[in-house]
Amino acid sequence: MQQLINPEPKQSKVHAVDAVETVSDTSQTDALAEIPDPDFEIPSEPPSDILVEKSPVKRRILPDKATDSSYSSWKTLIPFLVEPHLKYSARTLATALEITPKVISACATLSCPQKRTSIACLFFDMLLHHGLFPTAPSQPRMAVSIELLSFYRALFERSCDAINALASALKTHYSRRGFVMTDTRGEIIQDPFRRGLGYAVQWYDILQVQIERQVEEALQNSRDRVATLRPQTEDHVSTSSPLSTLRRGRCAPILIQRCPACFGGTMFGKPTADGGDIHTATDGNFHHRHRRAAGDCPHFYDPTYFLPKQYVDDVGRRIEAQRKRPAKSAVPLVPDEAIDQCETAYEAADGKKQKAAMDSFDDTGVMALICRHDIPLFFANIDSPGEQQKYSVALLEHLFSLIPPYATVVALYDVGCVLARSLSKYDILPGSIVSRLRLATTAMHAYGHEWACQLVYNPRMCIGLGLSDGEGTERLWSRLVRLIGVERSSSRQRRLWLIDRQAAAIGSEMQSDLGDWIRRRLKRGVNDQGTAAQEALDQCELAIDDLESEWSQQRSSQLSVRAHAPARLKKELDTVLTLQADLDTSDTALQSTRLMLEKGTASQDTLEALEALERGHDRLMAKVEVLYASLNIHDQFPELEGINLDFVRLLLMARDLKMNIRKRAIASFFEWDKLDRAVGGAQQALGTKLHQQTRKAIAKRQPALLTALRKFNAYCERLEVLYDPSWGIPLPNPLPTKLAQLRSDPNLMEDVWITPSTGQVPRWLEDADVRDGIRALLKRERCREEQKRLGIEADNLCRFFGEELAALELALRTPGCRFLIVVGIVFNA
């Protein structure tokens, strides 16, 4: 008979340690139970990918044979532990924790004579029967309380991986209680728990994954049986689209389980121009890196969220092959000049820009795809220097493979305008996907784009997008921020495991919160914002039809290619304006030099040299004016005929300066928001270093921003002096120099109008009340669209819960499934 006998504890050594207080008054249970040393040798430092201590020996970055053998043994053992663990969970469910006996034996009565013996093999199901999980796949020296591992799992879901902290805390706790771990030579072990505890946590989670998958498989079989018996006519469709345009279908089960509100519908085919069927968002994060020196461990976990590397690389090779072909001719929704400006302004649009040192990091970030409820759907591991388009394209293509062939999708992306242009020029995605895909920018990032780009891609101006903002990826990154430090020093496989399991916990929590999410959005979003928009419309003197007409005229006018002639004109003026700026700087330097010399005792030769420099500077200024006049602006742009060249030059400079001000201001707004939320407790508190960096960034940006604002206002004053009303060009309005007022000023987001308007000046251009009315009209329309979409999502949720309840009842009545379903669901909820 195999038996495990705990020896009597000595005063300075510990072989059995008490850790968890139970419901009983006097009883205690073991969190870590040590098994007596066998006669054969076990390496005191087994290979592990959790190594953190520095060693003078060069660290290996690939697993050796011993590690491969250990991981292989664990993977062989885990399936055999599923049933014992389920039995233990069922026995201890809703009961006080059992007292771990001093003798762990297969003898039921414990009446047999006991003796201490060496162990050649171990019944692991016996360990699990007594609530202990081994720390090694064979001949373990230590076992960890399952209750402690379950608690750590719940803690991990709310914080991050903290093996080192827990191991150190246990060592300190036991030392204070008088228990000290020693080796066979009687020397104190400095780090007795970390390695074994790390293995136990990792493989206990793999055991939980095995149970989750078995439960999901049993439930999915029941769902399929229920679906075959359910009449097709039972579905209630709540949608504003004509039923003739919708077709019946179902999304893949993996999508339905992750967000039933988005993917639990049965009717698809809503045109993308009306908002589409599904709203998603995608974004990359380059903080979740992995150091190359941290190495890798054997494969032990198959991620459920990450796309395979081979799949992403295949998409990348396809994109490169397509870009080598001639671009297709297509009528752009937004002039290329505006998209070029957006591409230059955003780093995410530059796939070649290196955002991480590839010599130090082998994985440089993560690309995420989420639904509009911020629930993570899929990830792509970034292993290239920049945010290349292959990651977002691969995520979208994988999503389309899991939805009906006629379902439509709206994807929000920081540089959605740039990706949309690429898809229209090259056959990166099949036509069947491109025709069902609509791209837009995220709500906050949209204000850093060109105004013409915003007219088409800003979700607040797009028909059908409701209040979807696409900023859920930023909220997801804020929840994953605690993993960043751990990921960099973990093995590559462990990094993916950490992110994947954390995403599963976040998704499960947010899925259970969908009902409250819809209620909050209906109250704070639709009702509050809709009421404010309606009040603004009531104060506006124009009828709704007139506002819609003015908005249509504004879109068509500002999206015309001719409206972006200044972008082409700016390229021709760049050289002149740059030279002008250099001459202005030299003039300032000359004036400062003259003042300094006049105060001192400069020689006559020095003053003559200075006068010669000033005469040369005046000649250069005259040549710049001649060069500017030689550009023949009037010949290239006849609409500017008869307009003073100085006025045109100032107008162009004011336009470019305002674009620069807008980008600087938005960056400052983001930084102030970061500080405000941290101070108010709405976000994670900033560390000293990050707080100082943010304050320094604000202090660094603010003087330049204020200087630009004062310069722009000076341009406005000079333009007003030169202005002739017969030219028909509306003058730009000055901007406030206080950031709080600038943030709420609607003029900040509007470009400087550069071309004359024929006939009467449009009301949307000269009347601020009309522009306010248009904004209120757009907000009211988005709120109404949001209300309709929330109704559809509520129907999807009700249908999902009904189907899940039927499948669960069927699974409980299926022979052999009841025990698995009950215990598995409770302990993996």
Side-chain angles (χ1 to χ4, degrees), residues 211-225:
I211 296 175
E212 290 174 8
R213 292 177 178 174
Q214 290 187 20
V215 171
E216 180 60 27
E217 183 180 357
L219 286 176
Q220 188 58 45
N221 291 334
S222 299
R223 294 188 194 106
D224 295 339
R225 293 171 60 187

Side-chain angles (χ1 to χ4, degrees), residues 107-286:
C107 179
T109 62
L110 296 180
S111 59
C112 302
Q114 300 178 5
K115 67 176 182 177
R116 180 171 181 173
T117 182
S118 299
I119 302 174
C121 63
L122 181 66
F123 294 143
F124 286 99
D125 56 346
M126 192 183 305
L127 274 180
L128 264 70
H129 175 80
H130 292 282
L132 299 172
F133 190 85
T135 57
S138 61
Q139 295 95 32
R141 296 187 177 194
M142 185 181 296
V144 185
S145 167
I146 289 179
E147 305 305 330
L148 178 62
L149 294 175
S150 298
F151 172 78
Y152 178 84
R153 182 181 177 220
L155 181 66
F156 167 78
E157 293 173 354
R158 293 296 182 271
S159 57
C160 68
D161 191 36
I163 294 294
N164 292 338
L166 180 59
S168 298
L170 286 174
K171 177 178 180 294
T172 302
H173 172 68
Y174 291 133
S175 297
R176 290 172 178 173
R177 295 186 59 194
F179 295 96
V180 179
M181 294 289 288
T182 59
D183 57 18
T184 55
R185 297 186 298 270
E187 299 178 356
I188 297 176
I189 302 175
Q190 296 298 325
D191 198 359
F193 302 131
R194 177 184 55 81
R195 191 179 300 275
L197 189 61
Y199 274 119
V201 166
Q202 177 176 322
W203 292 104
Y204 179 75
D205 186 77
I206 299 301
L207 175 61
Q208 297 296 324
V209 172
Q210 290 270 3
I211 296 175
E212 290 174 8
R213 292 177 178 174
Q214 290 187 20
V215 171
E216 180 60 27
E217 183 180 357
L219 286 176
Q220 188 58 45
N221 291 334
S222 299
R223 294 188 194 106
D224 295 339
R225 293 171 60 187
V226 170
T228 58
L229 301 174
R230 188 167 180 265
Q232 296 289 331
T233 56
E234 283 187 18
D235 293 324
H236 170 67
V237 179
S238 173
T239 177
S240 58
S241 300
L243 292 179
S244 58
T245 65
L246 302 180
R247 299 168 63 183
R248 189 175 299 278
R250 295 304 298 267
C251 295
I254 186 174
L255 293 178
I256 298 176
Q257 291 301 312
R258 287 184 180 173
C259 183
C262 287
F263 303 100
T266 58
M267 304 296 290
F268 296 90
K270 185 178 181 180
T272 55
D274 295 335
D277 298 314
I278 301 163
H279 291 180
T280 63
T282 183
D283 186 30
N285 186 297
F286 282 85

